[in-house]
Each structure stands twice: as structure tokens, then as C-alpha cells.
Amino acid sequence: ENRKVFIADGTMYDEFADLCQAAAQEIMAEKCKLTWVTICDGKNGSVNTRQMMENITPADTSNNSDEFPVNRSENSLEPIRALVTKQTHNNPNRKPHDTLLISTGKGKVRAGIFSRQHLLTTGLEPATCLPLLVEAQNRDMHCVVIDPNARTDREGMATFEASVRSLFDCHCELKEDEIEDGALGGDMDPSVPVDGSIFVLAHSASGGQLVRYLLNRQSAQFLSRIRSISFTDSTHSIQWVRNHPHLASLIQSSKSLYIKTFNPMRDEGNGEDSGGVECPKDQFWTHRFGEIRTIYSGTTEHSLSN
């Protein structure tokens, strides 16, 4: 409640939020053995991400810890990066790993952060995907956390597409000479597994971005590997895929789950006690989201629905 007394809205708030996001990402990377992978370094100065898509290059690692670098020329763009799990390099006994893919909503939040406000005022666990990463690590899953807002939310769809396409559909396995000396330490390799199932958490606008990506690339390997999708307050619509039965079936099947924030103005009951409770669906809801199983998140806060 006293946040504005110490951190004023506007530029000051943005600066503090950026610092806290960078610190949170560093903690997540250290605790869950993640490393940054660069999908596009932004040095080519293309007008937008869509132009870059045609000439996408394999992901590479960087030992630069600056999450919000300053453009060094007028033609430079912010780099597109993702946090991925470090793997044992060239392990002949490596088993297939399932992968957890996390994508946050639109706005000024960055990779792995669901809420800048709650990061400042509530805590690391509620405001970030850290608990999800820890749970995935305990289950021996590979983790990928992409950053759709790397070039602002106006380029969110194109950045999402570039990230998923590069990491999952282009088989961007790194070669030994592409790994920065000392960047990973020892025998660690950040490449994304090309086997195993994919479990997706798509928050808010990322749900719409995911569905549109699947709609545009139905033959991609990424689609065939999806085991489960959790939409949290997603912005997608079943109407987008009404002419594509396979996709319509996927996002309404038992593989998909919609987690909805409790709205005290429209929903009956107590929001805090509603976690996991089936959400009644009216005609409007069914027209928008179809027959997907829908439950309440147990909170009235959109950014805490994960």
C-alpha cells in the first residue's frame, strides 16, 4: 500500500521494476540451472521481427549478464533471448526429457515474470515462474522460458513466433565451437531437446500467440510433441480454429486446461476459496473458448493466476 511513497509511478517505477526483473531472472537461472540463449542479437537492424524470421539463425549462448542492454546504434534492436536448462553435453546415456515451456503475458514484463507490481510488493514466488521451474526440475524436465516482450508488446506475436520456431522447430542444437568459453561451465549444453513431450503454460496474451502460431505451422514438429497446454486467462478464441478440426480438438481436449481468474462482480462464491473449482460456462464462454475444461485460479488477481 505504501509503494508510491518510496517508488513513484512513471520512470522511477520502470527503472526499479527493470532492476528487480533482472535480479529475479538471475536468481531463477542460478537456482534452476538455466542459461540465456540468444535467438536474434538485433544487430542487423531489421525493421521488425517478421523480416528477421526468414533468415533466422541457430540459437547461441551469451555470457553477457545485462538483461536490458542499451542499443549501440540507431539500427540496433533489442536481442531476443530465452532462458533454457543447461544439459549435460555429449552424454551418450542421455534419456529423452520432457520440456516445460513458459510464456508470459503482454506489457513490460520480461521472461519468467508475471507481474512487476507483485515482484516489488509481494514476493519472488508469486510474481515469477520460479515455483514452476523448481517443480519441473524436481521432475527432471527441461525448461524453456521465452520473452515475447523483448521488443515491446507490439512485436509480441512475431517475437513469440521467432522464439518457438528457433528453439523447437529449427532443431537448434549448438556445436561445441558455438559455446562461449566458460559461459556454461564444464560439460553443460543449453540446446533444447528434440525428443520428449512438451508441456506449455501460456499466460494471458501468450495463449492467443500460441494458438495463432499453431494455426500457422500445423505441420511443425512442435505441435506433434505437445502433451499438455495450460491457458491462464488466455486471450485466444476457439473461433480462430473452427476450420481446423485437429487444432480445435486439441485445445478443447483433456490435454488442455483453462485457468480463470475469479471475478467477484460476475462469479458466485469466494475467490480465495475457488482454486481448482470448476467454472460454470455460459453461452458466451462456450462460443469464445469451446468445451475446454475451465477452473478458477483461486485469486482475483490476473497476474497471480499461474
Side-chain angles (χ1 to χ4, degrees):
E1 295 180 0
N2 64 350
R3 190 269 300 169
K4 293 184 180 181
V5 175
F6 300 97
I7 305 175
D9 290 336
T11 302
M12 185 179 185
Y13 179 87
D14 289 339
E15 292 293 337
F16 268 94
D18 286 351
L19 289 171
C20 289
Q21 288 190 94
Q25 290 169 330
E26 186 176 343
I27 292 171
M28 289 188 288
E30 182 176 356
K31 187 176 181 65
C32 300
K33 298 181 176 59
L34 307 177
T35 189
W36 286 106
V37 165
T38 301
I39 295 160
C40 176
D41 59 19
K43 294 179 181 179
N44 294 330
S46 55
V47 176
N48 56 42
T49 316
R50 293 178 181 84
Q51 293 182 355
M52 178 272 295
M53 286 297 299
E54 298 301 323
N55 299 304
I56 219 168
T57 56
D60 65 290
T61 60
S62 172
N63 56 6
N64 181 4
S65 60
D66 182 11
E67 169 56 9
F68 305 105
V70 177
N71 289 336
R72 292 174 173 79
S73 71
E74 293 182 357
N75 292 326
S76 296
L77 294 173
E78 291 287 343
I80 298 175
R81 300 199 290 172
L83 279 168
V84 303
T85 300
K86 300 174 184 177
Q87 295 187 92
T88 302
H89 188 53
N90 291 332
N91 181 1
N93 299 318
R94 187 184 71 82
K95 299 179 180 179
H97 278 276
D98 291 337
T99 298
L100 173 64
L101 169 63
I102 298 176
S103 184
T104 53
K106 68 182 297 186
K108 295 183 179 180
V109 291
R110 303 303 297 269
I113 313 296
F114 294 119
S115 171
R116 300 192 304 164
Q117 176 183 340
H118 285 288
L119 184 60
L120 290 171
T121 62
T122 307
L124 183 66
E125 285 79 8
T128 71
C129 64
L130 178 59
L132 302 173
L133 296 174
V134 171
E135 184 64 28
Q137 188 179 45
N138 291 339
R139 300 184 183 198
D140 198 28
M141 296 177 70
H142 189 92
C143 297
V144 176
V145 185
I146 62 175
D147 189 8
N149 300 317
R151 294 182 176 171
T152 76
D153 54 11
R154 294 183 63 184
E155 286 292 323
M157 180 61 222
T159 304
F160 181 97
E161 185 176 1
S163 301
V164 175
R165 180 182 174 187
S166 177
L167 292 168
F168 292 97
D169 284 337
C170 289
H171 300 168
C172 296
E173 296 283 348
L174 295 184
K175 301 176 182 178
E176 289 189 53
D177 58 359
E178 291 177 324
I179 300 175
E180 296 284 347
D181 292 338
L184 304 181
D187 59 351
M188 305 309 289
D189 174 14
S191 54
V192 176
V194 295
D195 47 21
S197 300
I198 298 174
F199 296 76
V200 184
L201 172 66
H203 177 58
S204 193
S206 284
Q209 292 164 356
L210 172 66
V211 173
R212 289 200 176 277
Y213 179 82
L214 295 177
L215 186 61
N216 294 333
R217 295 182 62 80
Q218 296 185 55
S219 62
Q221 185 187 25
F222 175 70
L223 174 59
S224 64
R225 292 175 58 195
I226 291 179
R227 176 77 174 273
S228 174
I229 305 174
S230 293
F231 296 103
T232 56
D233 279 350
S234 173
T235 60
H236 74 278
S237 172
I238 193 68
Q239 299 303 317
W240 298 349
V241 295
R242 62 182 182 274
N243 295 325
H244 302 273
H246 177 65
L247 279 180
S249 175
L250 171 65
I251 62 177
Q252 296 180 95
S253 70
S254 59
K255 292 183 177 181
S256 299
L257 175 68
Y258 194 105
I259 303 175
K260 176 184 181 295
T261 297
F262 186 90
N263 187 331
M265 300 296 292
R266 294 184 303 205
D267 300 321
E268 298 181 358
N270 187 334
E272 295 181 355
D273 298 331
S274 63
V277 175
E278 290 281 343
C279 173
K281 293 177 283 188
D282 56 20
Q283 184 178 2
F284 168 79
W285 187 269
T286 303
H287 177 78
R288 173 73 187 272
F289 297 107
E291 298 299 329
I292 185 173
R293 185 190 175 203
T294 305
I295 62 174
Y296 289 118
S297 63
T299 179
T300 58
E301 291 275 351
H302 166 71
S303 55
L304 298 182
S305 60
N306 302 281

